[in-house]
């Protein structure tokens, strides 16, 4: 069993393991911790009221949460009004650290929340979850309260392909972009079932030490940066069941992919990694099997053939006799160098 498989078997929890809210409250109080929930928003008026209705009892009736905050990016609908009416603490991101140049995005909201809120543990939930439930909170904070060596808990779940669908298949950027990139460059992170999950809980002492991309790249950056500093042992993930939410169009997903590529590219360069991975990798993917996640691995080896002009048999068959002996000099180079040489002539 390799390191990732061992991590999967010992650090993948289920929300049912933390269903005893009273026990979590006792553990929180015994450790003297404050818990802050932050919900970043941008034009989420359709869902924010229902989301808060399901979560506010964890602050107002059961003292698990000390703060429930909405940090807004400048919504033009009634998100702010509905969050205020529901009883959340509502902040506009531009009002926090106003002396700094303004930016807009989920990562910006989370970074500002880290400054504004008082919790020793921050829990982050997205505002568009249609089936919000207290288990999203208890399932994420449970491992942190019960195992002090854990510092960051990521959500995992089933994602229906559309809001009305029973078929799975959500998470297109994860499966098409992020999982392959992690497999190539950060294989110890391939055990995360939902590496781009917007729901997580983490200790302030970790979050305050790492940079926050302002937009879509924040989740990926957290995993890479904290793993680089502390290794895999500080992480865990909790199966929250199923997550139903508003699905994004391909145009928005394209922008998200571009942001994630920038974030990963910066970190690869800072770590001195070659952007071109070695030939071959193992990709770990996940399926639901009898209610649990099962990992499957596949070997992917995308080798490359040389330019045909460098193959003697081809030159012998297709070129005039006086050109058969040697390929053009540029073709002997690495393709990228050859392209640069040709472009400079």
């Amino acid at each position: 069993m390799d390191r990732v498989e061992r991590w999967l078997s010992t650090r993948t929890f289920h929300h049912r393991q933390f269903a005893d809210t009273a026990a979590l409250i006792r553990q929180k109080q015994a450790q003297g911790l404050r818990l802050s929930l932050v919900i970043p928003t941008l034009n989420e008026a359709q869902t924010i009221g229902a989301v808060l209705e399901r979560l506010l009892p964890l602050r107002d009736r059961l003292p698990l949460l000390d703060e429930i905050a909405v940090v807004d990016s400048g919504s033009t609908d009634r998100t702010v009004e509905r969050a205020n009416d529901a009883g959340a603490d509502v902040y506009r991101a531009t009002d926090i650290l106003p002396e700094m140049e303004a930016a807009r995005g989920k990562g910006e909201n989370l970074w500002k929340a880290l400054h504004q809120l008082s919790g020793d543990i921050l829990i982050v939930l997205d505002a568009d979850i249609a089936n919000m439930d207290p288990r999203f909170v208890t399932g994420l904070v449970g491992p942190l309260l019960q195992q002090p060596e854990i510092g960051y808990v990521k959500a995992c779940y089933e994602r229906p392909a559309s809001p009305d669908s029973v078929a799975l298949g959500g998470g297109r950027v994860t499966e098409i972009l992020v999982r392959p990139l992690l497999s190539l460059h950060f294989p110890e992170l391939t055990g995360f079932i939902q590496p781009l999950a917007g729901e997580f809980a983490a200790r302030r002492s970790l979050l305050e030490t790492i940079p926050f991309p302002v937009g879509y790249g924040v989740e990926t950056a957290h995993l890479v940066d904290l793993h680089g500093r502390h290794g895999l042992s500080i992480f865990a993930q909790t199966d929250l069941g199923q997550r139903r939410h508003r699905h994004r169009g391909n145009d928005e997903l394209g922008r998200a992919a571009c942001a994630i590529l920038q974030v990963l590219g910066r970190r690869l360069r800072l770590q001195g990694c070659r952007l071109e991975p070695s030939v071959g990798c193992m990709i770990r993917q996940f399926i639901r099997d009898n209610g649990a996640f099962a990992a499957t691995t596949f070997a992917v080896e995308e080798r490359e053939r040389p330019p045909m002009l460098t193959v003697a048999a081809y030159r012998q068959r297709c070129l005039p006799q006086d050109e058969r002996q040697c390929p053009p000099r540029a073709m002997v180079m690495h393709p990228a160098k050859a392209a640069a040489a040709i472009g400079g002539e």
Side-chain angles (χ1 to χ4, degrees):
M1 181 182 292
D2 69 15
R3 180 172 170 79
V4 177
E5 289 172 341
R6 287 195 301 272
W7 180 84
L8 274 167
S9 67
T10 59
R11 290 294 177 86
T12 301
F13 302 102
H14 195 280
H15 68 84
R16 287 192 294 267
Q17 296 173 249
F18 312 105
D20 187 345
T21 306
L24 296 180
I25 293 171
R26 289 194 297 270
Q27 290 163 348
K28 168 203 160 181
Q29 292 172 340
Q31 296 173 58
L33 297 174
R34 286 181 59 82
L35 273 58
S36 298
L37 170 65
V38 56
I39 303 174
T41 57
L42 176 64
N43 294 331
E44 302 290 358
Q46 293 185 351
T47 54
I48 189 62
V51 164
L52 289 168
E53 181 181 2
R54 298 291 291 154
L55 299 175
L56 283 165
L58 295 175
R59 183 195 67 182
D60 299 340
R61 294 208 304 267
L62 302 169
L64 180 64
L65 296 175
D66 297 283
E67 295 176 289
I68 295 181
V70 169
V71 181
D72 188 73
S73 287
S75 293
T76 57
D77 62 5
R78 299 193 62 208
T79 297
V80 169
E81 292 87 341
R82 290 180 179 174
N84 269 314
D85 292 345
D89 303 320
V90 182
Y91 305 94
R92 297 184 188 274
T94 52
D95 293 337
I96 303 171
L97 295 172
E99 67 275 15
M100 303 194 72
E101 183 180 359
R104 179 164 158 172
K106 178 180 180 179
E108 176 78 352
N109 289 13
L110 299 185
W111 188 69
K112 296 286 185 70
L114 186 62
H115 174 81
Q116 185 70 30
L117 305 183
S118 62
D120 304 290
I121 292 173
L122 270 68
I123 306 103
V124 176
L125 299 179
D126 283 344
D128 64 345
I129 301 174
N131 62 327
M132 180 58 75
D133 186 90
R135 72 175 187 272
F136 280 70
V137 173
T138 57
L140 291 173
V141 301
L144 295 168
L145 295 176
Q146 294 186 6
Q147 299 189 36
E149 68 275 15
I150 295 175
Y152 194 105
V153 182
K154 195 80 164 167
C156 58
Y157 32 62
E158 295 177 355
R159 298 182 68 177
S162 67
D164 302 320
S165 173
V166 296
L168 303 181
R172 288 163 285 172
V173 176
T174 293
E175 300 302 332
I176 294 171
L177 177 72
V178 174
R179 204 179 302 286
L181 280 170
L182 295 181
S183 299
L184 288 167
H185 297 293
F186 304 97
E188 278 210 339
L189 298 178
T190 60
F192 284 95
I193 296 166
Q194 294 287 353
L196 294 187
E199 297 76 32
F200 65 89
R203 300 188 191 277
R204 174 181 293 274
S205 57
L206 292 177
L207 294 177
E208 65 188 7
T209 66
I210 56 175
F212 277 51
V214 300
Y216 292 110
V218 64
E219 289 94 357
T220 310
H222 280 184
L223 296 187
V224 172
D225 292 346
L226 289 173
H227 176 264
R229 288 169 176 255
H230 304 283
L232 194 57
S233 61
I234 65 161
F235 291 107
Q237 59 187 347
T238 300
D239 183 350
L240 299 180
Q242 191 176 94
R243 180 192 194 273
R244 291 185 174 271
H245 63 107
R246 174 169 53 87
H247 282 251
R248 314 284 173 169
N250 287 342
D251 54 347
E252 188 171 354
L253 294 184
R255 295 192 292 271
C258 188
I260 291 165
L261 282 170
Q262 288 182 59
V263 165
L264 281 176
R266 285 190 204 117
R267 280 150 181 79
L268 286 168
R269 288 190 293 273
L270 287 172
Q271 295 176 18
C273 295
R274 295 182 301 115
L275 294 182
E276 301 86 359
S278 58
V279 174
C281 76
M282 297 294 296
I283 186 167
R284 184 177 277 106
Q285 299 172 312
F286 296 89
I287 58 172
R288 274 292 200 191
D289 183 21
N290 293 322
F293 284 103
T296 59
T297 57
F298 297 91
V300 180
E301 183 178 341
E302 185 72 1
R303 302 180 66 185
E304 296 195 32
R305 295 294 191 185
M308 191 60 74
L309 279 174
T310 68
V311 178
Y314 177 81
R315 295 198 306 276
Q316 200 62 27
R317 187 175 70 85
C318 296
L319 298 185
Q321 188 167 0
D322 60 349
E323 297 179 19
R324 292 176 184 174
Q325 295 305 310
C326 298
R329 181 176 177 275
M331 291 295 101
V332 181
M333 301 180 188
H334 184 278
K337 293 183 178 178
I342 292 169
E345 288 179 356

